[in-house]
Amino acid sequence: MVEEGRFFTNLKDGFSRGDIVVRLIYINVVVFLIVTLFNVFCTLFKLPSVLWANYLEMPAWTERFIRQPWSLITYMFMHAGILHVLFNMLWLYWFGRLFLQFFSSRHLRGLYVLGGICGGLLYLLSYNVFPYFEDYKYGSFLLGASASVLAIVVATAERQPEYSVQFLFLGSVKLRFVAIFMIVLDLLFMTSDNAGGHIAHLGGALAGWAFSVGLCKGRDFTRWINGTIDFVGGKWKPASKKPKMKVHYGSRQSDYEYNTQKKERSDEVDRILDKLRKSGYGSLTEEEKKSLFDASKK
């Protein structure tokens, strides 16, 4: 029992200390293990395990989606098997690390969700618009983090297209060729057995491209997602007692000094924004990113 307690404590500590990439991988793996173990339990007792799992997957049939709208979020943390989750998490780790060299952790968190949402919506739209999918939409479900991961890949490639990555047996390949290859592959297999997955990938790729281009122009398409996550996360935190107000006696800062410091901060933010418009988010230093983030909260 002590060893088990220590094991879970180590997992909790690893999650707390990890960056956003590690945390997303933790969530995906834990969800996969819980779902798999529950399916094993259902199989042993001859219970219909598929039925309950479908409520966490994204249905192609519009009427069913209306009854389970939460699946637009939950599906991107579900996986069909060990190889499915393994390859998705490897791609998330490799390109998530690369993404963080040019963007922030909040951007990765928001884009993961945005890519999944765009992938799910394009999947739903395609299955209900194209006659080819008419006979398939009633029993089709989407699951996996692929759309979210491809959004991260494409956003990174759009920001640094000439950046080279190393692949086994292939050697050095520029990011733009990686992104183009994956998008073309999905276009070619839109009518394959995994048509829904390839369509969702394209939705994620579109989200990644729009995010990167928009951020260079000063528009952050992940801002509303991060705001929502922060709001929901704040609601779940236990309320803490307000500290007693401390009164300090001493000389008060003059209006002149206050206004001078305020103008200096404003000028600094204007300078950072001008640099952002000209050179992109990746050109900012960590101190400049922090200053811009602090200013956005005021």
Side-chain angles (χ1 to χ4, degrees):
M1 293 297 292
V2 175
E3 292 297 328
E4 290 180 4
R6 186 178 302 170
F7 173 76
F8 287 109
T9 300
N10 290 337
L11 283 179
K12 183 179 179 181
D13 291 342
F15 180 84
S16 301
R17 291 194 301 266
D19 59 16
I20 185 61
V21 176
V22 171
R23 292 186 177 190
L24 285 172
I25 292 174
Y26 260 77
I27 294 172
N28 277 277
V29 172
V30 168
V31 170
F32 173 74
L33 291 175
I34 291 174
V35 171
T36 302
L37 290 173
F38 193 84
N39 285 340
V40 170
F41 174 83
C42 291
T43 301
L44 291 173
F45 287 92
K46 293 185 178 182
L47 299 174
S49 59
V50 177
L51 294 180
W52 79 270
N54 285 346
Y55 284 97
L56 299 177
E57 299 165 0
M58 177 83 180
W61 187 25
T62 307
E63 292 185 19
R64 173 151 189 170
F65 172 71
I66 292 174
R67 296 196 297 268
Q68 54 181 84
W70 59 83
S71 61
L72 183 60
I73 301 298
T74 56
Y75 94 88
M76 65 185 78
F77 298 98
M78 299 282 289
H79 288 86
I82 185 67
L83 292 180
H84 190 199
V85 68
L86 175 62
F87 284 109
N88 273 343
M89 294 305 100
L90 285 174
W91 278 83
L92 176 58
Y93 180 80
W94 292 329
F95 283 93
R97 287 273 181 264
L98 191 57
F99 179 95
L100 291 178
Q101 294 184 28
F102 312 111
F103 303 97
S104 69
S105 296
R106 286 177 63 83
H107 286 144
L108 192 146
R109 181 182 71 172
L111 184 58
Y112 181 96
V113 178
L114 180 64
I117 290 175
C118 290
L121 292 178
L122 185 61
Y123 160 78
L124 183 69
L125 179 65
S126 299
Y127 267 69
N128 287 274
V129 169
F130 297 118
Y132 175 80
F133 299 112
E134 181 65 30
D135 296 332
Y136 301 99
K137 67 179 182 180
Y138 300 105
S140 296
F141 293 86
L142 178 68
L143 69 162
S146 302
S148 300
V149 172
L150 193 55
I152 294 170
V153 174
V154 171
T156 309
E158 199 285 327
R159 173 54 57 89
Q160 295 291 334
E162 299 302 314
Y163 190 97
S164 296
V165 291
Q166 295 291 328
F167 285 97
L168 188 64
F169 305 124
L170 295 178
S172 179
V173 182
K174 292 182 178 179
L175 274 178
R176 60 190 173 101
F177 292 125
V178 175
I180 291 173
F181 173 77
M182 295 177 73
I183 292 172
V184 170
L185 199 67
D186 287 322
L187 286 170
L188 293 175
F189 287 93
M190 282 180 64
T191 56
S192 66
D193 292 338
N194 186 31
H198 292 291
I199 291 172
H201 295 174
L202 294 174
L206 180 62
W209 174 83
F211 160 77
S212 184
V213 172
L215 197 62
C216 287
K217 297 179 179 179
R219 295 192 297 269
D220 183 2
F221 293 120
T222 65
R223 185 175 181 179
W224 67 274
I225 294 176
N226 283 316
T228 302
I229 294 174
D230 291 340
F231 175 78
V232 174
K235 289 294 184 181
W236 284 98
K237 289 181 180 178
S240 57
K241 294 182 179 179
K242 293 184 178 180
K244 294 181 179 180
M245 182 180 295
K246 294 182 179 180
V247 180
H248 297 275
Y249 297 94
S251 59
R252 186 178 61 179
Q253 185 182 38
S254 68
D255 291 340
Y256 174 78
E257 292 173 333
Y258 172 78
N259 291 329
T260 300
Q261 292 179 6
K262 184 177 180 181
K263 186 178 185 304
E264 289 176 352
R265 288 194 295 267
S266 178
D267 291 342
E268 175 65 8
V269 171
D270 290 339
R271 183 191 68 80
I272 296 173
L273 289 174
D274 186 59
K275 183 178 179 181
L276 176 65
R277 284 190 292 269
K278 291 179 179 179
S279 306
Y281 189 83
S283 66
L284 303 183
T285 64
E286 290 300 322
E287 185 177 349
E288 289 172 335
K289 292 177 183 178
K290 184 178 184 302
S291 298
L292 194 60
F293 176 70
D294 292 340
S296 67
K297 296 191 295 183
K298 294 180 180 180

